[in-house]
Amino acid sequence: MKSMQLYKVGNFLKLFSYRRAICSFSSATSQPQLKRPSSIHNNFFNSGTKDALLKRLCRGNNFKEAIDILCEQKRLGEAIQMLNHIERPPAATYSTLLQLCLQLRALDEGMKVHAHTKSSGFVPGIVISNRILNMYIKCNSLVNAQKLFDEMPERDLCSWNIMITGCAKAGRLQEARKLFDQMPQKDNFSWTAMISGYVHHDRHKEALELYRVMQRNEKFKCNKFTISSALAASAAIQSLHLGKEIHGHILRVGLDSDGVVWSALSDMYGKCGSIQEARRIFDRTVDRDVVSWTAMIDRYFKEGRREEGFALFSDLLKSRISPNGFTFSGVLNACADYAAEELGKQVHGYMTRIGYDPSSFAASTLVHMYTKCGNIKNARRVFDGMPQPDLVSWTSLISGHAQNGQPDEALQFFELLLKSGTQPDHITFVGVLSACTHAGLVDKGLEYFHSIKEKHGLIHTADHYACLIDLLSRAGRFQEAKEIIDTMPMKPDKFLWASLLGGCRIHGNLELAKRAAEALFEIEPENPATYITLGNIYATANLWGEVAEVRKAMEGKGVVKKPGLSWIEIKREVHVFLVGDTSHPKSKEIHEFLGKLSKRMKEEGYVPDTNFVLHDVEEEQKEQNLSYHSEKLAVAFGIISTPEGTLIKVFKNLRTCVDCHTAIKFISKITKRKIIVRDFNRFHSFQDGNCSCRDYW
C-alpha cells in the first residue's frame, strides 16, 4: 500500500489500471473473475442491436459484461438495477459503477452502489473505499464522506488528501486544517490542497504562513501548484515584498522554466502594481498561451495604459495564438471605456472574419461597446444577429438608448425584454430609471421603481435610490426626494447625494444643496466636483462671499479642480484640447473660426450663459472665458478639418457646461452639422439647433 501513497487525488482514479485495482481488493473478491470477450465491444457498436446483445448476455448470466456495456453508454440507472442479478458482484464492477457515478456527479446512484456493497457482504479494500469517498466529495456530500472516512478501518495518504481537499473546497477550512494537522504523514499534494484552500476562500495570510512552514520542512519541495497558490496569495494582499521572495525561491529551485509558474508570477507583479516587471516575465515566458496574453493585455487596460494594451493585442494577432472570447471581451470593454469606436470596429471585423459565436458573451460585449461609443445603429445590428440575446445585451441596449437621448426606445426595449421571458436584474432597472430621468417621466419612473420589488421580487439597491432621487430632484420635487432620503433602508451613498446636488443646481435649492454637499464632503472630501457644483450654485445666486469660502476650503484641503479636456479623432489621429488651449498646430485657425462663429451665433439669438463662471469679474471677461472651453475648441477643429456634412463626434472627461450645451446647439444649426458630444454623464446629439437630451441632463 506504500506505493499507493504516491498517487494524488486528482489523477489517482484515472491512473490506477483496471487489473491493478482487482489485485488490491479484499478476499471478498477472491472468486474467479469473468473476462470480457474482446469481440463484445466491436459487436456491440457494429451490430446495431444493443438491447438484443444485452438480453443475450443476461440470458447467459454475463451480467458483469452487460453492466460494462451499460456504463460505456452512460446508462447508469439500468446498470445499477442489474447489480441485483449478481450474487456477489466483483470489485471491478463496483469500481466501474462508482467511476461513472463520479463522472456524472450522480449522488443518489452513488449512494445506491455504496449501499449495495454493504447488503451484498462485499468488504471493500482501500482502493474502493477511496473511490466511494471521492465520489461523495465530488458530489458535494461531505456528510456522507465524513461518515465513511470515520468508518474506514484503514486509511492511506490518498484518503486523507481526499477529505482535506473536499473540506477546503467547501470552505470548511477549520475542519480541513484539523485533518491536515492530524494526518500521520503528508505529501506535496496535502500541503498544496490546504494552501490553495486558504487562497480560494480569501484567507491569504494563513495561506502564506503555511507556505512558509512548508518551506522550512526539508522533506517537502514546493511544486509549481504550491508556488502558484502562494503567488496568488501575495497578489491578493498586494505584497510585492513577499512576491519577490517567492520569485527568488523559484529561481533557486529551478522552477523558472515552467509556464504555469511564470503566468502566476506575471499575474502577481501585475496585481502588485509592478506592471513593467510583469511584462518582463511575460516576455520571457516560452510557452505563452492565450490565457497569458489575455491577462497581460487586461493588466495594461486596468492600469490605464491603453496604448500598450492595444499594441500587445496587435502583437497577439500577429502571433500563432488565436484570441478567445475573453480576449475579445477585454479589448472591446477597453474600447468602450475609451470611446475608441474605430478600433472596436476593427476588432469586430476581425471577429467576423474568423467567425465568432453570436450567442457568446463576446457578442454581448460588442453591443456594450457600440452603445458606449454612441453607435446605437451598430449595437442594434449586432443585437438583432443574436439567436437569443442574453440579459447583458438587453441591458446594454436599454442603457444605450437612455444615454443617447432615446428614452422612449429604451422603455420600448424594456417591455420587449419582459415579453421575451428574460428576467431583468437590478442593473437593468438602473437603465430603465435613467431613461425615465432623461425623459422627465417622473410618474412612470416611480411606477417602475415600485415594480422592482412588488412585481419582479427584487430588492431595491442604493443605485435604484440614487436614480429615483435624480429623477425627483431634476423635476424639482424636492419634498418627495427628502422624504425618501430620510426613510430609505440603507445609508445614502455618494451617487445619491451627487444626484441631489445636481438637481439643486438646476433649480437653485440652496438648503438641500448645502446638505448634499456636506454629506459628500464627509464621504469623499478630495472630490473637486462637489466644491465646483456648490460654488456654481452660490455664484448663480450672486453669493460671492460663499463662493470665496468654497474656494478657500478647496485650497485649504489641497483639492485641485480636475482640468476639463475634450478630444476628437480625425483620420485615425486623436486630438486633445484643454480649456483655453493654444498648443494645437491649428490653434490660430480654430480661434479665428470660433470668433466668426460667435458673431453668427449672437445674430441668431445666442446669449452666453455666465451664471456658472465662478470668477467675480466683468461680463465681457466671463464671455471670453466661456469661448475657449475644451469642447468648443474640439468641435471647431472638427468642423474646419472635415468636409461639409461630416458627423462631428467629441468626447469630454467632465460634464458639459450649460453655456457650451447652448452654444453647440447654435453651431449645429449654423454649420448644418450633426454634432455628438459624449460627456461624463451621457451622449448629446445636436442637430438643427436641438439636442437629444431635450435640455434635461
Side-chain angles (χ1 to χ4, degrees), residues 82-378:
M82 203 165 286
L83 267 178
N84 296 321
H85 296 284
I86 307 176
E87 185 177 348
R88 297 182 68 190
T93 298
Y94 283 126
S95 180
T96 300
L97 287 166
L98 287 167
Q99 179 62 24
L100 184 57
C101 291
L102 187 151
Q103 183 182 344
L104 300 178
R105 300 296 190 264
L107 176 61
D108 291 340
E109 288 78 3
M111 292 175 68
K112 289 177 183 177
V113 175
H114 186 196
H116 195 279
T117 63
K118 296 180 179 180
S119 63
S120 68
F122 175 79
V123 181
I126 189 68
V127 176
I128 285 293
S129 294
N130 283 344
R131 180 155 290 189
I132 298 171
L133 191 65
N134 196 35
M135 181 273 298
Y136 280 135
I137 289 295
K138 292 291 174 59
C139 292
N140 300 315
S141 182
L142 271 176
V143 174
N144 283 320
Q146 186 66 59
K147 183 180 179 183
L148 173 61
F149 183 79
D150 293 339
E151 294 172 351
M152 289 172 65
E154 180 186 3
R155 303 169 190 149
D156 65 359
L157 181 57
C158 185
S159 313
W160 289 92
N161 282 342
I162 290 172
M163 281 303 299
I164 290 169
T165 302
C167 290
K169 285 185 177 179
R172 294 163 68 167
L173 297 175
Q174 189 172 353
E175 295 171 52
R177 184 58 187 266
K178 184 178 179 181
L179 288 165
F180 177 82
D181 292 337
Q182 288 177 347
M183 63 192 304
Q185 61 183 89
K186 302 176 179 67
D187 65 357
N188 278 351
F189 186 88
S190 314
W191 290 90
T192 303
M194 196 65 240
I195 291 169
S196 63
Y198 279 134
V199 173
H200 185 70
H201 293 283
D202 299 327
R203 303 267 287 273
H204 307 295
K205 290 184 178 179
E206 287 158 288
L208 289 167
E209 287 172 4
L210 191 59
Y211 169 75
R212 287 184 180 279
V213 173
M214 182 183 182
Q215 278 188 308
R216 288 195 293 268
N217 195 321
E218 295 181 359
K219 293 181 181 179
F220 304 105
K221 292 184 178 180
C222 298
N223 59 27
K224 62 182 179 181
F225 302 109
T226 321
I227 293 283
S228 297
S229 294
L231 286 169
S234 300
I237 63 174
Q238 295 187 339
S239 175
L240 185 59
H241 173 71
L242 288 174
K244 285 184 174 180
E245 278 188 15
I246 298 170
H247 188 180
H249 178 72
I250 290 168
L251 297 174
R252 288 193 297 273
V253 299
L255 281 172
D256 53 322
S257 60
D258 186 88
V260 173
V261 172
W262 278 113
S263 180
L265 196 57
S266 178
D267 187 60
M268 181 277 295
Y269 278 117
K271 289 180 178 176
C272 290
S274 184
I275 197 164
Q276 291 297 115
E277 188 64 23
R279 179 58 187 269
R280 191 180 71 83
I281 297 293
F282 173 80
D283 289 338
R284 289 182 58 189
T285 305
V286 179
D287 297 321
R288 290 177 294 194
D289 58 11
V290 66
V291 176
S292 304
W293 281 92
T294 302
M296 192 67 232
I297 291 167
D298 284 344
R299 284 186 203 108
Y300 277 128
F301 291 140
K302 287 176 182 176
E303 290 291 320
R305 296 166 68 163
R306 63 171 187 167
E307 295 300 330
E308 289 159 289
F310 289 137
L312 189 58
F313 175 67
S314 179
D315 292 341
L316 170 60
L317 298 184
K318 297 171 187 174
S319 72
R320 295 182 179 180
I321 306 295
S322 297
N324 61 19
F326 293 100
T327 319
F328 289 129
S329 183
V331 173
L332 289 169
N333 276 322
C335 291
D337 293 338
Y338 295 111
E341 184 183 356
E342 287 305 314
L343 182 56
K345 284 180 177 178
Q346 292 176 37
V347 176
H348 185 188
Y350 180 85
M351 292 169 63
T352 303
R353 287 194 298 275
I354 65 171
Y356 71 95
D357 182 1
S359 301
S360 66
F361 60 89
S364 300
T365 314
L366 268 175
V367 176
H368 171 71
M369 184 274 293
Y370 278 124
T371 58
K372 285 297 230 178
C373 291
N375 193 332
I376 296 296
K377 185 178 179 181
N378 277 7

Side-chain angles (χ1 to χ4, degrees), residues 41-103:
H41 185 84
N42 292 331
N43 291 340
F44 175 76
F45 284 104
N46 294 331
S47 65
T49 57
K50 294 186 292 186
D51 291 340
L53 176 59
L54 287 168
K55 287 177 182 177
R56 286 200 300 274
L57 289 170
C58 292
R59 280 198 296 269
N61 291 326
N62 295 315
F63 297 111
K64 177 187 174 299
E65 283 79 1
I67 288 175
D68 286 344
I69 290 172
L70 288 169
C71 287
E72 287 174 3
Q73 298 302 309
K74 293 184 171 50
R75 296 162 69 178
L76 180 57
E78 296 167 82
I80 292 174
Q81 287 178 3
M82 203 165 286
L83 267 178
N84 296 321
H85 296 284
I86 307 176
E87 185 177 348
R88 297 182 68 190
T93 298
Y94 283 126
S95 180
T96 300
L97 287 166
L98 287 167
Q99 179 62 24
L100 184 57
C101 291
L102 187 151
Q103 183 182 344

Side-chain angles (χ1 to χ4, degrees), residues 323-490:
N324 61 19
F326 293 100
T327 319
F328 289 129
S329 183
V331 173
L332 289 169
N333 276 322
C335 291
D337 293 338
Y338 295 111
E341 184 183 356
E342 287 305 314
L343 182 56
K345 284 180 177 178
Q346 292 176 37
V347 176
H348 185 188
Y350 180 85
M351 292 169 63
T352 303
R353 287 194 298 275
I354 65 171
Y356 71 95
D357 182 1
S359 301
S360 66
F361 60 89
S364 300
T365 314
L366 268 175
V367 176
H368 171 71
M369 184 274 293
Y370 278 124
T371 58
K372 285 297 230 178
C373 291
N375 193 332
I376 296 296
K377 185 178 179 181
N378 277 7
R380 179 65 187 274
R381 186 179 292 119
V382 175
F383 180 88
D384 290 341
M386 302 175 73
Q388 191 170 357
D390 60 8
L391 181 58
V392 173
S393 303
W394 280 104
T395 301
S396 294
L397 215 52
I398 290 167
S399 300
H401 277 298
Q403 291 177 353
N404 282 275
Q406 300 169 356
D408 295 335
E409 290 85 345
L411 298 180
Q412 287 172 12
F413 262 94
F414 178 67
E415 295 303 325
L416 288 173
L417 177 149
L418 297 179
K419 289 179 182 177
S420 74
T422 305
Q423 294 298 316
D425 64 4
H426 71 281
I427 300 175
T428 312
F429 277 104
V430 171
V432 171
L433 293 172
S434 295
C436 293
T437 297
H438 292 300
L441 301 173
V442 182
D443 293 332
K444 188 70 174 176
L446 286 166
E447 181 183 329
Y448 279 126
F449 177 82
H450 293 303
S451 76
I452 292 172
K453 186 175 182 180
E454 296 171 3
K455 186 176 179 180
H456 299 281
L458 299 172
I459 298 173
H460 287 127
T461 67
D463 289 337
H464 296 152
Y465 278 100
C467 288
L468 187 60
I469 297 304
D470 194 23
L471 176 73
L472 293 169
S473 61
R474 283 175 183 270
R477 293 167 63 164
F478 291 108
Q479 185 58 38
E480 293 169 78
K482 186 175 179 297
E483 290 173 0
I484 289 170
I485 292 171
D486 293 338
T487 58
M488 60 188 287
M490 73 277 294

